[in-house]
Protein backbone atom coordinates (compact mmCIF):
# COMPACT_ATOMS: atom_id res chain seq x y z
CA UNK A 1 0.00 0.00 0.00
CA UNK A 2 1.20 3.52 -0.76
CA UNK A 3 -0.08 6.89 0.37
CA UNK A 4 -1.79 8.66 -2.56
CA UNK A 5 -3.53 11.98 -2.02
CA UNK A 6 -4.25 11.08 1.61
CA UNK A 7 -5.54 7.57 0.77
CA UNK A 8 -3.80 4.26 1.28
CA UNK A 9 -4.04 2.51 -2.05
CA UNK A 10 -2.68 -0.74 -3.40
CA UNK A 11 0.01 -0.38 -6.08
CA UNK A 12 -0.75 -3.91 -7.16
CA UNK A 13 -2.83 -6.93 -6.24
CA UNK A 14 -1.46 -9.86 -8.27
CA UNK A 15 1.20 -7.91 -10.19
CA UNK A 16 1.20 -4.88 -12.49
CA UNK A 17 1.73 -6.85 -15.71
CA UNK A 18 -1.00 -9.41 -15.03
CA UNK A 19 -3.46 -6.68 -14.04
CA UNK A 20 -2.52 -4.55 -17.05
CA UNK A 21 -2.95 -7.49 -19.45
CA UNK A 22 -6.31 -8.40 -17.90
CA UNK A 23 -7.65 -4.90 -18.64
CA UNK A 24 -6.31 -4.93 -22.23
CA UNK A 25 -7.61 -8.40 -23.08
CA UNK A 26 -10.61 -9.08 -20.77
CA UNK A 27 -11.67 -6.75 -17.97
CA UNK A 28 -10.36 -5.41 -14.70
CA UNK A 29 -11.57 -3.08 -12.00
CA UNK A 30 -10.07 -0.25 -10.01
CA UNK A 31 -11.23 1.32 -6.77
CA UNK A 32 -10.88 5.04 -7.55
CA UNK A 33 -13.03 6.24 -4.66
CA UNK A 34 -10.28 8.71 -3.79
CA UNK A 35 -11.43 10.94 -6.68
CA UNK A 36 -13.36 14.05 -5.62
CA UNK A 37 -17.00 14.76 -6.54
CA UNK A 38 -18.55 18.24 -6.50
CA UNK A 39 -22.22 18.87 -7.28
CA UNK A 40 -23.00 22.15 -9.03
CA UNK A 41 -26.62 23.28 -9.15
CA UNK A 42 -28.65 26.42 -9.75
CA UNK A 43 -29.89 28.73 -12.50
CA UNK A 44 -26.34 29.99 -13.16
CA UNK A 45 -24.68 26.56 -13.00
CA UNK A 46 -24.10 26.31 -16.76
CA UNK A 47 -22.83 29.89 -17.10
CA UNK A 48 -20.56 29.39 -14.09
CA UNK A 49 -19.01 26.19 -15.50
CA UNK A 50 -18.72 27.76 -18.93
CA UNK A 51 -16.61 30.51 -17.35
CA UNK A 52 -14.32 28.36 -15.15
CA UNK A 53 -13.59 25.65 -17.74
CA UNK A 54 -12.03 25.66 -21.22
CA UNK A 55 -14.29 23.15 -23.02
CA UNK A 56 -17.83 24.05 -24.19
CA UNK A 57 -20.20 23.14 -21.35
CA UNK A 58 -23.15 24.58 -23.34
CA UNK A 59 -22.69 21.71 -25.82
CA UNK A 60 -22.95 19.15 -23.02
CA UNK A 61 -26.42 17.59 -22.87
CA UNK A 62 -28.00 15.96 -19.81
CA UNK A 63 -26.90 12.34 -19.63
CA UNK A 64 -23.48 13.06 -21.11
CA UNK A 65 -19.95 13.43 -19.74
CA UNK A 66 -17.21 15.78 -20.94
CA UNK A 67 -13.47 15.92 -20.32
CA UNK A 68 -12.56 19.45 -19.31
CA UNK A 69 -9.94 21.72 -17.75
CA UNK A 70 -10.00 24.23 -14.90
CA UNK A 71 -7.50 26.90 -16.00
CA UNK A 72 -5.91 29.42 -13.66
CA UNK A 73 -5.24 33.00 -14.81
CA UNK A 74 -1.47 32.45 -15.04
CA UNK A 75 -1.32 30.09 -18.01
CA UNK A 76 -1.57 26.82 -16.09
CA UNK A 77 -4.18 24.34 -14.91
CA UNK A 78 -5.80 24.19 -11.49
CA UNK A 79 -6.92 20.67 -12.46
CA UNK A 80 -8.16 18.50 -15.30
CA UNK A 81 -11.65 17.19 -14.58
CA UNK A 82 -14.70 15.40 -15.91
CA UNK A 83 -18.04 17.24 -16.10
CA UNK A 84 -21.22 15.13 -15.97
CA UNK A 85 -24.51 16.81 -16.84
CA UNK A 86 -27.50 15.54 -14.89
CA UNK A 87 -30.06 18.19 -15.84
CA UNK A 88 -30.37 21.71 -17.21
CA UNK A 89 -29.29 23.14 -13.84
CA UNK A 90 -27.37 20.24 -12.31
CA UNK A 91 -23.83 18.94 -12.90
CA UNK A 92 -21.36 16.63 -11.18
CA UNK A 93 -17.63 17.38 -11.41
CA UNK A 94 -15.06 14.63 -10.83
CA UNK A 95 -11.70 16.06 -9.79
CA UNK A 96 -8.30 14.65 -8.91
CA UNK A 97 -7.97 13.55 -5.27
CA UNK A 98 -4.82 15.54 -4.63
CA UNK A 99 -6.54 18.72 -5.89
CA UNK A 100 -9.86 18.53 -3.99
CA UNK A 101 -9.04 21.34 -1.54
CA UNK A 102 -7.47 23.59 -4.16
CA UNK A 103 -10.28 23.06 -6.69
CA UNK A 104 -12.93 23.70 -4.05
CA UNK A 105 -11.38 27.05 -3.03
CA UNK A 106 -10.91 28.05 -6.68
CA UNK A 107 -14.53 27.23 -7.62
CA UNK A 108 -15.94 28.90 -4.49
CA UNK A 109 -14.07 32.10 -5.31
CA UNK A 110 -15.49 32.18 -8.85
CA UNK A 111 -19.03 31.27 -7.75
CA UNK A 112 -19.37 34.31 -5.50
CA UNK A 113 -22.39 36.40 -6.43
CA UNK A 114 -23.81 33.83 -8.89
CA UNK A 115 -26.98 31.76 -8.61
CA UNK A 116 -25.05 28.54 -8.13
CA UNK A 117 -24.63 26.12 -5.23
CA UNK A 118 -21.56 23.93 -4.81
CA UNK A 119 -21.45 20.89 -2.58
CA UNK A 120 -18.44 18.69 -1.93
CA UNK A 121 -19.78 15.12 -2.04
CA UNK A 122 -16.33 13.48 -2.18
CA UNK A 123 -16.92 11.53 1.04
CA UNK A 124 -20.38 10.37 -0.02
CA UNK A 125 -19.38 8.55 -3.22
CA UNK A 126 -17.45 5.41 -3.92
CA UNK A 127 -16.15 5.09 -7.48
CA UNK A 128 -15.27 1.78 -9.14
CA UNK A 129 -13.86 1.70 -12.68
CA UNK A 130 -14.69 -1.45 -14.66
CA UNK A 131 -12.47 -1.41 -17.73
CA UNK A 132 -11.68 -3.69 -20.63
CA UNK A 133 -13.15 -5.17 -23.83
CA UNK A 134 -15.41 -7.54 -21.84
CA UNK A 135 -16.60 -4.91 -19.32
CA UNK A 136 -19.99 -4.30 -20.94
CA UNK A 137 -20.77 -7.98 -21.44
CA UNK A 138 -19.87 -8.80 -17.83
CA UNK A 139 -22.01 -6.00 -16.35
CA UNK A 140 -25.04 -6.29 -18.65
CA UNK A 141 -26.77 -9.29 -17.00
CA UNK A 142 -26.78 -7.48 -13.65
CA UNK A 143 -28.08 -4.13 -14.94
CA UNK A 144 -31.56 -2.79 -15.69
CA UNK A 145 -30.24 -0.61 -18.56
CA UNK A 146 -29.34 -1.68 -22.12
CA UNK A 147 -25.66 -0.82 -22.48
CA UNK A 148 -25.81 -1.11 -26.29
CA UNK A 149 -27.77 2.15 -26.26
CA UNK A 150 -25.13 3.90 -24.14
CA UNK A 151 -22.26 5.31 -26.17
CA UNK A 152 -18.88 6.58 -24.98
CA UNK A 153 -19.33 9.43 -22.47
CA UNK A 154 -22.93 8.44 -21.66
CA UNK A 155 -23.88 9.09 -18.00
CA UNK A 156 -27.02 7.53 -16.52
CA UNK A 157 -28.65 6.15 -13.37
CA UNK A 158 -29.07 2.39 -13.17
CA UNK A 159 -29.63 -0.49 -10.81
CA UNK A 160 -26.60 -2.77 -10.60
CA UNK A 161 -27.00 -5.93 -8.49
CA UNK A 162 -30.20 -4.29 -7.27
CA UNK A 163 -28.38 -1.21 -5.95
CA UNK A 164 -28.88 2.35 -7.18
CA UNK A 165 -25.76 3.59 -8.97
CA UNK A 166 -24.77 6.06 -11.66
CA UNK A 167 -22.77 4.74 -14.58
CA UNK A 168 -20.52 6.64 -16.96
CA UNK A 169 -19.08 5.05 -20.08
CA UNK A 170 -15.70 6.66 -19.39
CA UNK A 171 -12.30 5.57 -18.15
CA UNK A 172 -8.60 6.16 -17.94
CA UNK A 173 -7.19 3.02 -19.55
CA UNK A 174 -7.71 3.38 -23.31
CA UNK A 175 -10.27 0.55 -23.24
CA UNK A 176 -14.04 0.50 -23.32
CA UNK A 177 -15.47 0.51 -19.83
CA UNK A 178 -17.55 2.13 -17.15
CA UNK A 179 -17.08 4.15 -14.03
CA UNK A 180 -19.63 3.25 -11.38
CA UNK A 181 -20.66 5.86 -8.81
CA UNK A 182 -22.07 4.18 -5.72
CA UNK A 183 -22.95 5.38 -2.21
CA UNK A 184 -19.74 5.22 -0.16
CA UNK A 185 -21.15 2.76 2.38
CA UNK A 186 -22.16 0.32 -0.39
CA UNK A 187 -18.83 0.39 -2.24
CA UNK A 188 -17.36 -2.67 -0.57
CA UNK A 189 -20.43 -4.80 -1.25
CA UNK A 190 -20.39 -3.74 -4.91
CA UNK A 191 -16.67 -4.51 -5.13
CA UNK A 192 -17.35 -8.04 -3.85
CA UNK A 193 -20.19 -8.51 -6.34
CA UNK A 194 -17.94 -7.38 -9.21
CA UNK A 195 -15.09 -9.58 -8.01
CA UNK A 196 -17.43 -12.57 -8.18
CA UNK A 197 -18.01 -11.80 -11.89
CA UNK A 198 -14.36 -12.60 -12.52
CA UNK A 199 -13.11 -9.04 -12.89
CA UNK A 200 -9.39 -8.75 -12.13
CA UNK A 201 -8.69 -6.25 -9.34
CA UNK A 202 -6.10 -3.74 -10.53
CA UNK A 203 -4.06 -1.23 -8.56
CA UNK A 204 -2.35 2.10 -9.05
CA UNK A 205 0.57 0.52 -10.90
CA UNK A 206 -1.57 -0.87 -13.73
CA UNK A 207 -3.69 2.29 -13.76
CA UNK A 208 -0.51 4.24 -14.50
CA UNK A 209 0.88 1.92 -17.21
CA UNK A 210 -2.54 1.74 -18.91
CA UNK A 211 -3.06 5.51 -18.96
CA UNK A 212 0.53 6.08 -20.10
CA UNK A 213 0.14 3.70 -23.07
CA UNK A 214 -3.13 5.47 -23.92
CA UNK A 215 -1.31 8.83 -23.85
CA UNK A 216 -3.52 10.26 -21.09
CA UNK A 217 -1.86 13.10 -19.17
CA UNK A 218 -1.84 12.90 -15.36
CA UNK A 219 -2.12 16.01 -13.23
CA UNK A 220 1.12 16.62 -11.33
CA UNK A 221 3.11 15.08 -14.19
CA UNK A 222 1.95 16.44 -17.57
CA UNK A 223 -0.26 19.18 -16.07
CA UNK A 224 0.45 21.60 -13.22
CA UNK A 225 -0.38 25.07 -11.95
CA UNK A 226 2.64 26.43 -13.80
CA UNK A 227 2.58 24.26 -16.95
CA UNK A 228 0.97 25.55 -20.15
CA UNK A 229 -1.74 22.95 -20.87
CA UNK A 230 -1.46 23.38 -24.64
CA UNK A 231 1.96 21.75 -24.44
CA UNK A 232 -0.09 18.53 -24.43
CA UNK A 233 -1.79 17.02 -27.46
CA UNK A 234 -5.20 17.78 -25.94
CA UNK A 235 -5.57 21.16 -27.63
CA UNK A 236 -9.24 20.38 -28.47
CA UNK A 237 -10.14 20.84 -24.79
CA UNK A 238 -9.77 24.62 -25.26
CA UNK A 239 -12.66 26.15 -27.18
CA UNK A 240 -12.94 29.70 -28.53
CA UNK A 241 -14.97 31.20 -25.68
CA UNK A 242 -14.57 33.54 -22.73
CA UNK A 243 -13.09 31.78 -19.67
CA UNK A 244 -10.92 32.65 -16.68
CA UNK A 245 -7.77 31.24 -18.26
CA UNK A 246 -8.11 32.74 -21.73
CA UNK A 247 -5.48 35.49 -21.40
CA UNK A 248 -3.07 33.21 -19.57
CA UNK A 249 -2.90 30.55 -22.29
CA UNK A 250 -3.03 32.95 -25.27
CA UNK A 251 0.75 32.83 -25.76
CA UNK A 252 2.12 29.72 -27.44
CA UNK A 253 3.44 27.10 -24.98
CA UNK A 254 7.23 27.23 -24.52
CA UNK A 255 7.39 23.43 -24.31
CA UNK A 256 5.69 20.52 -26.09
CA UNK A 257 4.74 17.08 -24.84
CA UNK A 258 6.23 14.27 -26.93
CA UNK A 259 6.18 10.48 -26.80
CA UNK A 260 9.43 8.53 -26.59
CA UNK A 261 10.14 4.84 -27.11
CA UNK A 262 13.28 3.21 -25.76
CA UNK A 263 14.88 -0.15 -26.46
CA UNK A 264 15.50 -1.55 -23.01
CA UNK A 265 16.20 0.88 -20.18
CA UNK A 266 13.08 2.17 -18.41
CA UNK A 267 13.12 5.93 -17.91
CA UNK A 268 11.39 7.70 -15.04
CA UNK A 269 9.95 11.09 -14.22
CA UNK A 270 12.59 13.81 -14.06
CA UNK A 271 15.23 12.12 -16.23
CA UNK A 272 16.86 14.65 -18.63
CA UNK A 273 16.02 14.49 -22.35
CA UNK A 274 18.92 15.34 -24.67
CA UNK A 275 19.06 16.40 -28.32
CA UNK A 276 22.48 16.61 -29.96
CA UNK A 277 24.05 16.33 -26.53
CA UNK A 278 22.15 19.34 -25.18
CA UNK A 279 19.47 19.08 -22.52
CA UNK A 280 16.14 20.08 -24.12
CA UNK A 281 13.61 18.76 -21.62
CA UNK A 282 12.63 16.15 -19.07
CA UNK A 283 10.61 12.97 -18.76
CA UNK A 284 7.22 13.57 -17.11
CA UNK A 285 6.01 9.94 -16.99
CA UNK A 286 7.87 6.80 -17.91
CA UNK A 287 7.57 3.06 -17.53
CA UNK A 288 8.10 -0.20 -19.26
CA UNK A 289 5.06 -0.81 -21.50
CA UNK A 290 3.50 -4.22 -20.81
CA UNK A 291 1.54 -4.13 -24.11
CA UNK A 292 4.39 -3.01 -26.37
CA UNK A 293 7.17 -4.83 -24.54
CA UNK A 294 9.58 -1.90 -24.37
CA UNK A 295 9.93 1.26 -22.26
CA UNK A 296 7.85 4.32 -23.15
CA UNK A 297 7.77 7.85 -21.80
CA UNK A 298 6.11 11.20 -22.15
CA UNK A 299 8.46 14.16 -22.00
CA UNK A 300 8.17 17.93 -22.04
CA UNK A 301 10.79 19.40 -24.38
CA UNK A 302 11.49 22.92 -25.63
CA UNK A 303 8.99 23.78 -28.37
CA UNK A 304 11.78 24.42 -30.91
CA UNK A 305 13.24 20.96 -30.22
CA UNK A 306 10.02 18.95 -30.32
CA UNK A 307 10.05 17.57 -33.87
CA UNK A 308 13.27 15.57 -34.00
CA UNK A 309 13.07 11.84 -34.67
CA UNK A 310 15.80 10.74 -32.29
CA UNK A 311 16.62 11.91 -28.77
CA UNK A 312 18.58 10.55 -25.85
CA UNK A 313 17.46 10.14 -22.25
CA UNK A 314 20.03 10.33 -19.48
CA UNK A 315 19.74 7.41 -17.07
CA UNK A 316 22.11 7.39 -14.10
CA UNK A 317 24.63 9.53 -15.95
CA UNK A 318 24.53 7.60 -19.22
CA UNK A 319 22.70 8.67 -22.40
CA UNK A 320 20.38 6.07 -23.96
CA UNK A 321 18.80 6.45 -27.43
CA UNK A 322 15.08 7.25 -27.56
CA UNK A 323 12.90 7.45 -30.65
CA UNK A 324 10.06 9.98 -30.88
CA UNK A 325 6.71 8.31 -31.50
CA UNK A 326 3.23 9.76 -31.96
CA UNK A 327 0.94 9.83 -28.94
CA UNK A 328 -0.92 7.76 -27.94
CA UNK A 329 1.42 4.76 -27.80
CA UNK A 330 -1.58 2.43 -27.82
CA UNK A 331 -5.02 2.76 -29.38
CA UNK A 332 -7.76 0.17 -29.09
CA UNK B 1 8.22 -16.77 0.94
CA UNK B 2 11.60 -18.52 0.88
CA UNK B 3 14.62 -17.48 2.94
CA UNK B 4 17.38 -20.08 2.61
CA UNK B 5 19.40 -20.68 5.78
CA UNK B 6 22.79 -20.85 4.08
CA UNK B 7 22.63 -17.21 2.96
CA UNK B 8 23.24 -13.93 4.77
CA UNK B 9 20.91 -10.98 4.24
CA UNK B 10 21.25 -7.19 4.22
CA UNK B 11 18.55 -4.89 5.60
CA UNK B 12 18.29 -3.56 2.01
CA UNK B 13 17.23 -7.12 0.90
CA UNK B 14 20.36 -8.36 -0.89
CA UNK B 15 21.58 -11.88 -0.08
CA UNK B 16 25.21 -13.02 0.03
CA UNK B 17 26.21 -16.67 -0.46
CA UNK B 18 29.33 -18.23 1.07
CA UNK B 19 30.92 -18.28 -2.42
CA UNK B 20 30.34 -14.51 -2.87
CA UNK B 21 27.26 -14.72 -5.10
CA UNK B 22 24.78 -11.86 -4.58
CA UNK B 23 21.08 -11.53 -5.40
CA UNK B 24 17.88 -10.10 -3.95
CA UNK B 25 15.59 -11.97 -1.59
CA UNK B 26 12.30 -13.62 -2.43
CA UNK B 27 10.62 -10.99 -0.23
CA UNK B 28 12.30 -8.19 -2.23
CA UNK B 29 11.35 -9.57 -5.67
CA UNK B 30 7.77 -10.01 -4.48
CA UNK B 31 7.62 -6.42 -3.23
CA UNK B 32 9.16 -5.07 -6.45
CA UNK B 33 6.84 -6.96 -8.77
CA UNK B 34 7.58 -7.75 -12.42
CA UNK B 35 11.27 -7.04 -13.03
CA UNK B 36 11.82 -5.54 -16.50
CA UNK B 37 15.43 -4.40 -16.44
CA UNK B 38 18.62 -5.09 -14.50
CA UNK B 39 21.72 -2.92 -14.70
CA UNK B 40 24.82 -4.83 -13.55
CA UNK B 41 28.35 -3.67 -12.65
CA UNK B 42 31.41 -4.32 -14.80
CA UNK B 43 33.54 -7.34 -14.01
CA UNK B 44 36.76 -6.25 -12.31
CA UNK B 45 35.21 -3.32 -10.46
CA UNK B 46 36.34 -2.98 -6.87
CA UNK B 47 33.43 -2.18 -4.56
CA UNK B 48 32.97 -1.23 -0.92
CA UNK B 49 30.22 -2.71 1.25
CA UNK B 50 27.16 -0.46 1.12
CA UNK B 51 28.07 1.03 -2.28
CA UNK B 52 25.42 1.11 -5.06
CA UNK B 53 26.52 -1.51 -7.58
CA UNK B 54 23.42 -2.43 -9.58
CA UNK B 55 19.85 -1.36 -10.32
CA UNK B 56 16.80 -3.62 -10.51
CA UNK B 57 13.79 -2.04 -12.22
CA UNK B 58 10.24 -3.30 -12.02
CA UNK B 59 7.37 -1.91 -14.09
CA UNK B 60 6.78 0.71 -11.42
CA UNK B 61 10.10 1.58 -9.85
CA UNK B 62 13.90 1.49 -9.95
CA UNK B 63 15.68 0.04 -6.89
CA UNK B 64 19.36 0.44 -6.11
CA UNK B 65 21.27 -2.71 -5.17
CA UNK B 66 24.01 -2.25 -2.56
CA UNK B 67 27.12 -4.41 -2.19
CA UNK B 68 26.66 -6.62 0.90
CA UNK B 69 30.44 -6.99 1.11
CA UNK B 70 33.63 -5.30 -0.04
CA UNK B 71 35.60 -6.97 -2.81
CA UNK B 72 35.97 -7.32 -6.54
CA UNK B 73 33.20 -8.15 -9.02
CA UNK B 74 34.33 -11.42 -10.62
CA UNK B 75 31.16 -12.36 -12.56
CA UNK B 76 27.76 -10.96 -13.52
CA UNK B 77 24.60 -12.79 -14.59
CA UNK B 78 24.50 -12.00 -18.33
CA UNK B 79 21.21 -13.90 -18.72
CA UNK B 80 19.41 -11.03 -17.00
CA UNK B 81 19.91 -8.66 -19.94
CA UNK B 82 17.52 -10.74 -22.06
CA UNK B 83 15.44 -12.33 -19.30
CA UNK B 84 15.29 -9.97 -16.31
CA UNK B 85 12.19 -11.83 -15.07
CA UNK B 86 14.55 -14.56 -13.77
CA UNK B 87 14.91 -12.30 -10.70
CA UNK B 88 11.23 -12.99 -10.01
CA UNK B 89 11.14 -16.67 -10.91
CA UNK B 90 14.41 -17.69 -9.28
CA UNK B 91 15.72 -15.07 -6.86
CA UNK B 92 18.12 -17.59 -5.27
CA UNK B 93 19.01 -19.52 -8.45
CA UNK B 94 18.90 -18.29 -12.09
CA UNK B 95 18.08 -14.77 -10.90
CA UNK B 96 21.40 -14.13 -9.12
CA UNK B 97 22.94 -10.72 -9.92
CA UNK B 98 26.73 -10.80 -9.58
CA UNK B 99 29.57 -12.58 -7.78
CA UNK B 100 32.10 -10.96 -5.48
CA UNK B 101 35.59 -12.01 -4.51
CA UNK B 102 34.90 -10.93 -0.94
CA UNK B 103 37.58 -9.15 1.08
CA UNK B 104 35.30 -8.07 3.94
CA UNK B 105 31.61 -8.57 4.64
CA UNK B 106 29.39 -5.78 5.87
CA UNK B 107 29.09 -6.06 9.66
CA UNK B 108 25.33 -5.59 9.50
CA UNK B 109 24.33 -8.77 7.64
CA UNK B 110 21.57 -10.92 9.18
CA UNK B 111 21.03 -14.66 9.18
CA UNK B 112 17.80 -16.04 7.70
CA UNK B 113 15.95 -16.05 11.01
CA UNK B 114 16.84 -12.43 11.78
CA UNK B 115 15.94 -11.35 8.23
CA UNK B 116 12.54 -13.01 8.42
CA UNK B 117 11.91 -11.40 11.82
CA UNK B 118 12.88 -7.98 10.42
CA UNK B 119 10.41 -8.35 7.53
CA UNK B 120 7.53 -10.00 9.35
Amino acid sequence: MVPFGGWDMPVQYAGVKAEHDAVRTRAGMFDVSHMGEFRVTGPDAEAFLQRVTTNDVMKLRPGRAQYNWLPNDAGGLVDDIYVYRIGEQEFLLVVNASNIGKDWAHLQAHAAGLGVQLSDESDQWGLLAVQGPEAAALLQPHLDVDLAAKKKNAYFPARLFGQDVWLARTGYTGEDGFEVFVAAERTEALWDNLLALGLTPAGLGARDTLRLEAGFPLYGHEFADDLHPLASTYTWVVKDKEHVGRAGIQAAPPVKLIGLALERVPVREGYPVLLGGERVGRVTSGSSSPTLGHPIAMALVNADAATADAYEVEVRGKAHPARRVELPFYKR
Amino acid sequence: MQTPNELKYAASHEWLAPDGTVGISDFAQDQLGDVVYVELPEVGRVVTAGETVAVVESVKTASDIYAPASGTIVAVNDQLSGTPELVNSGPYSDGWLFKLDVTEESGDLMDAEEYVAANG
Side-chain angles (χ1 to χ4, degrees):
Chain A
M1 302 288 269
V2 294
F4 184 88
W7 293 63
D8 285 326
M9 299 185 56
V11 172
Q12 57 177 10
Y13 296 86
V16 177
K17 268 187 180 168
E19 295 165 21
H20 180 110
D21 292 345
V23 172
R24 285 273 180 264
T25 58
R26 301 184 304 278
M29 63 170 170
F30 306 80
D31 184 347
V32 288
S33 298
H34 61 296
M35 302 292 283
E37 291 87 8
F38 300 158
R39 190 170 302 270
V40 182
T41 54
D44 292 338
E46 183 187 74
F48 164 70
L49 290 174
Q50 188 71 343
R51 174 133 187 84
V52 296
T53 66
T54 60
N55 204 343
D56 193 352
V57 176
M58 290 172 70
K59 285 235 172 83
L60 182 62
R61 300 187 312 277
R64 301 285 302 163
Q66 181 186 65
Y67 178 64
N68 212 327
W69 289 346
L70 294 180
N72 59 30
D73 58 10
L77 286 194
V78 179
D79 202 358
D80 68 326
I81 67 171
Y82 244 92
V83 180
Y84 300 83
R85 189 161 200 164
I86 297 160
E88 286 306 318
Q89 298 187 9
E90 184 174 10
F91 299 83
L92 190 75
L93 311 185
V94 172
V95 307
N96 282 300
S98 51
N99 289 337
I100 290 175
K102 183 179 72 167
D103 291 358
W104 180 254
H106 175 80
L107 292 171
Q108 286 283 355
H110 283 282
L114 295 176
V116 55
Q117 292 83 46
L118 297 173
S119 67
D120 181 356
E121 299 184 357
S122 301
D123 292 340
Q124 297 167 38
W125 291 102
L127 185 56
L128 301 181
V130 180
Q131 301 279 302
E134 294 179 5
L138 282 168
L139 292 177
Q140 185 63 75
H142 310 280
L143 273 170
D144 64 344
V145 171
D146 179 13
L147 293 179
K150 302 296 183 184
K151 297 193 169 58
K152 184 178 157 70
N153 282 331
Y155 174 62
F156 51 96
R159 286 179 73 80
L160 176 58
F161 295 106
Q163 299 279 4
D164 288 320
V165 298
W166 281 79
L167 254 67
R169 198 160 195 161
T170 52
Y172 196 48
T173 58
E175 298 300 331
D176 184 24
F178 298 84
E179 293 180 296
V180 186
F181 297 79
V182 58
E185 66 274 13
R186 294 204 300 266
T187 310
E188 200 176 333
L190 179 60
W191 175 269
D192 290 341
N193 279 329
L194 292 170
L195 204 57
L197 293 183
L199 286 160
T200 301
L204 279 182
R207 187 167 166 81
D208 197 50
T209 52
L210 289 158
R211 72 93 192 167
L212 177 59
E213 285 184 351
F216 295 144
L218 175 60
Y219 195 91
H221 298 257
E222 285 75 34
F223 294 140
D225 292 297
D226 58 358
L227 271 181
H228 198 306
L230 296 178
S232 73
T233 53
Y234 282 72
T235 51
W236 56 268
V237 184
V238 177
K239 298 297 195 291
D240 185 18
K241 66 168 194 179
E242 285 305 316
H243 62 85
V244 298
R246 190 178 167 105
I249 59 176
Q250 210 123 47
V255 290
K256 282 280 186 192
L257 192 70
I258 60 168
L260 293 174
L262 290 100
E263 298 234 327
R264 235 161 52 81
V265 190
V267 298
R268 312 286 178 178
E269 184 181 4
Y271 287 9
V273 176
L274 313 175
L275 179 61
E278 297 288 314
R279 182 178 174 145
V280 294
R282 65 185 171 87
V283 170
T284 53
S285 295
S287 173
S288 139
S289 162
T291 306
L292 303 173
H294 59 73
I296 56 173
M298 291 198 271
L300 282 170
V301 298
N302 298 336
D304 60 4
T307 55
D309 294 323
Y311 296 80
E312 288 177 312
V313 180
E314 196 179 308
V315 181
R316 295 177 284 276
K318 192 163 171 257
H320 293 267
R323 192 161 53 79
R324 184 172 65 83
V325 294
E326 293 301 315
L327 292 169
F329 301 100
Y330 166 89
K331 210 167 177 3
R332 175 161 54 94
Chain B
M1 212 70 68
Q2 290 181 13
T3 313
N5 283 324
E6 63 275 23
L7 306 177
K8 290 180 178 172
Y9 300 86
S12 47
H13 307 292
E14 297 84 1
W15 54 260
L16 174 67
D19 71 350
T21 304
V22 175
I24 65 169
S25 70
D26 195 13
F27 175 81
Q29 71 77 20
D30 185 64
Q31 291 286 308
L32 272 174
D34 309 298
V35 172
V36 293
Y37 180 74
V38 180
E39 192 168 286
L40 293 169
E42 280 179 28
V43 171
R45 181 171 149 192
V46 177
V47 303
T48 307
E51 186 179 325
T52 303
V53 286
V55 178
V56 174
E57 299 213 23
S58 65
V59 176
K60 265 312 278 179
T61 189
S63 295
D64 286 339
I65 303 300
Y66 305 99
S70 300
T72 305
I73 307 283
V74 291
V76 297
N77 185 355
D78 290 326
Q79 275 197 291
L80 297 181
S81 65
T83 47
E85 60 271 21
L86 290 174
V87 174
N88 294 118
S89 59
Y92 302 114
S93 54
D94 295 346
W96 65 281
L97 300 180
F98 54 88
K99 192 173 174 183
L100 279 170
D101 184 6
V102 175
T103 52
E104 188 179 3
E105 285 180 16
S106 160
D108 300 328
L109 297 182
M110 294 174 268
D111 64 23
E113 198 177 328
E114 292 167 325
Y115 179 72
V116 169
N119 294 288

